[in-house]
Amino acid sequence: MSLKQMMPDLFKTIAFRLTLWYAGIFSVSSCVAFALFYFLATQTIQEQTDRDLLEKARYFSTVIQRNGLMGASKLAVIEAQAAGEKRIFFRLLYPSGEVFASSHMSYWKDISVDHGAIDILSHTKGHVFKTWLMKPHEQKARVLYSFVASNVILQTGIAMDFQTKFISAFKTVFIVSMGFIIVFSTVSGLFLARKALSGVKAITRTASSISGTNLEKRVPETGNQDELDLLAVTFNRMLDRIEDLIKSIREMSDNIAHDLKSPLTRIRGFAEIALVNMDDLETYRGMAANTIEESDRLLDMINTMLVISRAEAGGGEFIFKPVNLSAMVKEMCDLFVPVAEDKEIKFTCEVADHIQMEVDAKMLQRAFSNLLDNALKYTQDKGRVHVDLCWESDGFVDIRVTDTGPGIDSAYLEKIFDRFYRVESSRTTPGTGLGLSLARTIAREHKGDLVVASQLGRGAVFSMRLPYRNIPII
Ligand code: ADP
């Protein structure tokens, strides 16, 4: 991949954007901290300077009281010399602004008398501070105007060299620190983003290595219960479900292939026999009848599959009409009496009277006949089959078919409702593996359910529960 192709991808990555955010937030907050520190430091230095100047003004005031104006004039020169003539100056003025004494002013000649400040001072009688930029020296000075006697104003100024030094040192520290902070935050941001997203990469890697034939790979789960771990767990669960689904689709297609193969082989066999015995009309007719019978069975199977799929997809064509369920169940039982008699099975039917419900009668008959057919088919000769139609206390009607047949291993209790699923031991008995699946779909279309209770060797109870509520009683 060329660099040009890679660049837009890099900008789009979450890691890049996180790094940018991290570095940005880190740098901006550092700038704010620096600004705050700068503001507080300069403020403190200025306050200290102002306090020093006020102290000087108080001293001059005391000297004037004790030694008069002459004393103050001498003090101005001595104080400036003692502190350094480039550091401090003193001027004594009349309220008119006329200077009558000062320290040595050659360094400070840029600073004149500010009449505006004197006006303010005359009105407030307090003191006025001004900050002055001395252009020739490129240095700031803090200047105080204050009355030191009733008609004497002291103008005194201090070079703000400490503040100037502080600002230049601050600038250096700021530039170096910000450079370091930007580099540090970018590197650590990149590191953190990569670390945080490494779980996502693992999921992406696993997802891209999965194919139709290789579904057993899973994303490593850390067990930290953080967002990425939950994502990994959810992803793995999704893979489990997909794997189960694909497995059951494979099983189902195997079953379909198997179940379609047998009748088709038989049909082919009939056709072959008919072809060999072309002259024998009787055999010819017999084979044609067998072919029709097998074809009908196949068609029935395909139709059943269609009913189940349509109902499961929500497009079932069920027609609900008020039906006397009690009468319907009785009639169905009567239909199966000859089958029971053939196997000498004790077949009993106990039906609660006058249960009137809105159902799809044809579909419900199909479901019920599948249950009865199974019970009589799987129960051995001389066994017992009992049918119950009764009210349940929770607003349901229960159609129960109990038999004394071979029962069902608990491992297959749910599987038997899958399409085409037949327990291995039943494979010798004729059937398609669609009966229970259809019966359950029909029960569910009626907002009810079909469940089974059974133990191997102890018979089975199939219970189709249908809700009675919201169905008008006639
Ligand atoms: P089929 O009966 O055509 O095989 P079903 O869907 O009706 O298909 O039943 C699925 C499987 O459930 C059967 O193959 C059988 O193993 C088991 N089964 C159903 N009803 C009974 C029953 N009453 N007693 C024991 N096993 C049963």
Side-chain angles (χ1 to χ4, degrees), residues 339-346 380-383:
V339 186
E341 280 174 356
D342 275 355
K343 292 179 78 176
E344 293 179 57
I345 288 173
K346 193 178 169 209
Q380 55 279 49
D381 292 1
K382 297 196 172 108

Side-chain angles (χ1 to χ4, degrees), residues 370-371 373-375 377-379 403 405-408 416-418 421-427 429-437 454 459-460 462:
N370 280 340
L371 298 184
D373 184 54
N374 278 350
K377 186 165 72 175
Y378 294 112
T379 301
D403 65 53
I408 302 151
I416 56 171
F417 293 102
D418 289 351
Y421 187 83
R422 308 195 69 205
V423 178
E424 207 50 51
S425 53
S426 325
R427 291 210 168 257
T429 319
T432 58
L434 284 172
L436 288 180
S437 173
S454 178
F462 284 88

Side-chain angles (χ1 to χ4, degrees), residues 151-203:
N151 56 351
V152 179
I153 295 170
L154 172 72
Q155 183 203 26
T156 175
I158 278 189
M160 296 170 81
D161 46 358
F162 182 68
Q163 199 160 14
T164 313
K165 274 185 202 146
F166 169 77
I167 290 170
S168 89
F170 182 86
K171 264 187 199 160
T172 317
V173 171
F174 177 75
I175 291 167
V176 172
S177 308
M178 280 315 288
F180 174 75
I181 284 168
I182 289 171
V183 172
F184 173 76
S185 57
T186 308
V187 172
S188 54
L190 198 67
F191 171 75
L192 287 176
R194 276 176 178 250
K195 200 166 158 45
L197 293 171
S198 61
V200 178
K201 271 197 175 165
I203 293 176

Side-chain angles (χ1 to χ4, degrees), residues 23 31 34 73 127 201 212 284 292 298 336 382-383 423 443:
C31 275
F34 268 115
S73 304
H127 34 258
K201 271 197 175 165
Y284 211 76
I292 290 172
L298 265 177
F336 279 83
K382 297 196 172 108
V423 178

